[in-house]
Amino acid sequence: MSKEYAFETLAIHAGQPPDPTTGAVMTPIYQTSTFKQDTVGSHRGYEYARTGNPTRTALESCLAALEGGSHGLAFASGMAATDALFRLLKPGDEVLAVDDLYGGTHRILKHIFEPLGVTLRLVDSQATDLIVHEISETTRMIWVESPTNPKLNLIDLSALAESLSTLSSRPMLCVDNTFATPYLQQPLMLGADVVLHSTTKYLGGHSDIIGGAILCNDNALYDRLAFIQNAVGAIPGPMDCFLVLRGLKTLPVRMDRHASNSEEIASFLLARSEVTDFRYPGHASHPQYELAQRQMRNGGGMMSFIHKGGEAAARSFVESTQLFTLAESLGGVESLIELPAMMTHASTMDTPIAIEPALIRLSVGIEAVEDLIEDLRLAFENS
């Protein structure tokens, strides 16, 4: 489809024409492992489902359109997509990453790729204007999240990409866009080389699938990643692809509701004496609010704060909510709450980027906001 269509239209139609055989409006779930060849080596676009599947093609095409990219690749999980990108590196290469990042990304670099000779070096996520000055002769990839997980720091993606463009040997700029989604920001349009998603989160939107995706514009890079995708085989099944496609159709309306709920909850939390170091990009209290206004459509549905009572009080609080479910993950229609230090980021414990034990992360869902606020109020009172 033409990229001139609005985002909401692309989310429903891109890569998903009516089925040419039956006229089915919804993309069929091609639940097959192999495809008939008319003669040896002559097929109709598909030969083996690890290499390609029409349902997966529809998802990859739709995601590429939403990110303003030319190519999309779907994976079995966000970490499978992350792994594929790190497989582009060789011994002696360095990844320069922000120091506030998903615990699983830190874990795979430190425990899988560093033993193979790839080096990880961390830079302050609140001083990303200095990233270019930290690049060494071996830096081959720059890895950022914006907003970051779990502290909700922002990276000025346009400024970073512009600074990198002045270098004679430019490292690849990879942006994990899971928190923001392409509805809030499109890193490829801001100068990134590669965008990564955990489609498990907002893109699926219903906490019922595990998946990942990579989007890019460079043909040669796409060919290398497609080879890795096929060779390694960490691909999603057709049902998972179908469910993400279904989720994408409502992504814009869900993200707007996540944001409107979050804005009201932000005001409530900021008025509580138990809350300190509150972070939500969509509220004027955020130190990078101006950047958020410029770079993102709205503030999204993720926020975090530190409980003044310390770890014990934070633990009691997250165990006292009823509507906010104590669980890992994020981005579903239901509200979730967690302690990253002991949950999603436990792998960073005893490292330089260990998370403050009293930090609480909320994934604000699309329930009635008055019910969510009352749930938080009662949790404060009962913890």
Side-chain angles (χ1 to χ4, degrees), residues 92-165:
D93 288 347
E94 177 185 79
V95 177
L96 198 59
V98 292
D99 62 358
D100 181 24
L101 77 169
Y102 172 52
T105 306
H106 180 265
R107 178 177 56 225
I108 194 173
L109 277 166
K110 293 298 291 184
H111 300 290
I112 302 296
F113 284 93
E114 277 207 341
L116 299 176
V118 173
T119 303
L120 168 64
R121 189 154 54 91
L122 299 169
V123 294
D124 187 350
S125 60
Q126 298 186 68
T128 50
D129 56 321
L130 302 178
I131 284 180
V132 172
H133 303 291
E134 293 289 334
I135 293 172
S136 71
E137 292 182 357
T138 60
T139 304
R140 297 291 176 266
M141 182 179 290
I142 294 175
W143 189 277
V144 301
E145 301 173 3
S146 186
T148 60
N149 181 8
K151 298 180 183 178
L152 283 302
N153 292 309
L154 303 182
I155 314 302
D156 190 330
L157 299 176
S158 292
L160 177 56
E162 184 176 351
S163 297
L164 292 174
S165 69

Side-chain angles (χ1 to χ4, degrees), residues 8 15 27 112 174 209 211 227 240 242 291:
E8 293 83 352
T27 302
I112 302 296
C174 302
I209 64 100
F227 178 85
D240 287 339
F242 174 86
L291 173 59

Side-chain angles (χ1 to χ4, degrees), residues 257-272 274-275 278 303 305 317 320-324 335 337 362-382:
R257 180 58 177 262
H258 286 299
S260 63
N261 278 358
S262 295
E263 289 163 10
E264 293 195 44
I265 290 172
S267 296
F268 166 79
L269 289 173
L270 282 165
R272 298 292 307 196
E274 302 92 338
V275 172
F278 176 80
M303 60 180 62
F305 67 90
F317 176 76
S320 298
T321 57
Q322 299 298 314
L323 287 178
F324 278 86
S335 295
I337 192 167
L362 284 73
S363 174
V364 176
I366 65 171
E367 302 95 336
V369 69
E370 59 269 22
D371 292 333
L372 295 177
I373 290 174
E374 178 66 6
D375 188 43
L376 294 172
R377 185 187 68 79
L378 290 173
F380 278 120
E381 291 184 0
N382 297 329

Side-chain angles (χ1 to χ4, degrees), residues 163-183:
S163 297
L164 292 174
S165 69
T166 65
L167 302 178
S168 56
S169 180
R170 182 185 188 278
M172 181 184 301
L173 176 56
C174 302
V175 179
D176 184 336
N177 201 31
T178 297
F179 269 26
T181 81
Y183 180 64

